[in-house]
Amino acid sequence: MSDFFKLSRNDEILEIVLNRPKANALDAASSREMGRIFAEFRDDPNLRVAILTGAWENFFSGGWDLNAVAGGEAYLGDFGEGGFGGFPEMTDLLKPVICAVNGWAVGAGFEMLLRADFVIAAEHARFMLPEVRIGIAPDVGTFMLPKLLPRQKALEILMRGRQCSAQELASFGLINEVVPGDELMERARAFAQDLLRASPLSLAAIKEAVLLTEKLDFEECYAALRSKTWPAFMRMLESEDAREGARAFVEKREPVWKGE
């Protein structure tokens, strides 16, 4: 347990609640702590899905703590193993991360969503990259948004610094579901439970392949796969889970995943 993060385990699901007054904004020290939390999630064989949310109705995360910025905290400082927010740069985290956005997601709080695997947002949630108004530029947003959206729309969000609604971002494909605020965690937990029905090795193989093929064309993807150099993918192919899934399908029953 931490002063700034509330952690709870629900069977194989880890829930991480940002709880840093007043807006769940992070400085370098709290970001490093968040990185340690996600590293422990990554390394715990009994945990399969993480849900990240905020402690209050008004803020998911206000991003980088401006008091730390004003105090001279470096833009390219040490924010921990997974970068700012604990997981965006953790490329060996091959388990699903769901962001349940309960309020404002501002700056780096918005950018976390661009590196999450799934985003479920409350109807009242709002999103903003205001960095240009304080004399800096988003990093993850600048890297990711032009890959996820048409260039002009990405630049509008990056350069105007205006707020966006959950419904607008859902229409762009950046949010999986928009739900009433009082149903947010119920829906996020149901989403996580649905992921638990899948083989953990299959989920890891998919996430690994997505990360490793982002810059490859179709032919290069198959050449890389056939080279057998993707550890998670090969574990999946050689596992008992692959055979168990086929048997369960034939026998019309739920599979029992062993993860080996």
Side-chain angles (χ1 to χ4, degrees):
M1 191 62 68
S2 158
D3 291 338
F4 302 134
F5 306 98
K6 296 179 180 178
L7 308 179
S8 60
R9 297 173 71 128
N10 178 14
D11 194 15
E12 297 174 291
I13 300 168
L14 176 66
E15 294 185 12
I16 305 165
V17 181
L18 302 179
N19 185 39
R20 193 168 189 264
K22 296 180 180 179
N24 291 330
L26 302 175
D27 60 5
S30 53
S31 180
R32 288 193 293 270
E33 184 176 350
M34 203 167 167
R36 289 191 290 272
I37 291 169
F38 274 99
E40 290 173 5
F41 164 66
R42 175 196 62 199
D43 298 337
D44 188 332
N46 296 314
L47 289 172
R48 292 187 51 199
V49 182
I51 300 173
L52 176 65
T53 192
W56 308 296
E57 182 180 344
N58 292 335
F59 277 95
F60 170 74
S61 175
W64 195 10
D65 187 339
L66 293 183
N67 289 318
V69 178
E73 193 167 88
Y75 184 97
L76 297 177
D78 177 9
F79 290 100
E81 179 181 357
F84 191 96
F87 69 89
E89 297 178 51
M90 195 173 285
T91 54
D92 59 349
L93 174 55
L94 300 182
K95 299 177 180 180
V97 175
I98 301 169
C99 282
V101 186
N102 56 295
W104 280 94
V106 179
F110 181 173
E111 292 177 305
M112 289 183 215
L113 313 180
L114 303 178
R115 296 295 290 169
D117 301 301
F118 306 99
V119 180
I120 300 173
E123 292 173 334
H124 65 271
R126 293 293 181 270
F127 307 80
M128 189 178 185
L129 292 175
E131 283 87 341
V132 292
R133 300 185 183 183
I134 59 171
I136 57 176
D139 47 13
V140 175
T142 301
F143 305 154
M144 295 297 300
L145 277 175
K147 295 180 174 67
L148 299 170
L149 300 177
R151 182 175 181 272
Q152 289 81 355
K153 183 56 68 176
L155 290 176
E156 179 186 350
I157 294 173
L158 290 164
M159 292 185 172
R160 289 185 64 193
R162 68 172 181 85
Q163 65 171 280
C164 301
S165 69
Q167 293 79 4
E168 181 180 10
L169 293 191
S171 74
F172 300 156
L174 296 181
I175 293 176
N176 295 87
E177 297 181 16
V178 179
V179 300
D182 60 359
E183 298 177 13
L184 177 65
M185 290 307 295
E186 177 185 357
R187 183 57 199 142
R189 290 169 182 142
F191 202 107
Q193 287 290 342
D194 202 40
L195 291 171
L196 294 182
R197 298 181 61 195
S199 163
L201 297 182
S202 295
L203 297 182
I206 289 170
K207 192 163 179 178
E208 177 187 64
V210 168
L211 290 169
L212 294 178
T213 61
E214 283 180 328
K215 297 180 180 179
L216 304 181
D217 62 28
F218 188 78
E219 183 177 348
E220 290 169 332
C221 289
Y222 261 109
L225 175 59
R226 290 182 174 123
S227 72
K228 300 182 180 181
T229 56
W230 297 351
F233 214 99
M234 295 311 299
R235 276 191 67 210
M236 173 196 69
L237 292 179
E238 296 166 359
S239 72
E240 176 60 27
D241 276 7
R243 290 174 285 277
E244 164 62 9
R247 286 194 295 266
F249 182 83
V250 171
E251 296 167 6
K252 299 180 180 179
R253 59 174 175 82
E254 283 290 318
V256 178
W257 305 122
K258 296 181 179 180
E260 58 186 31

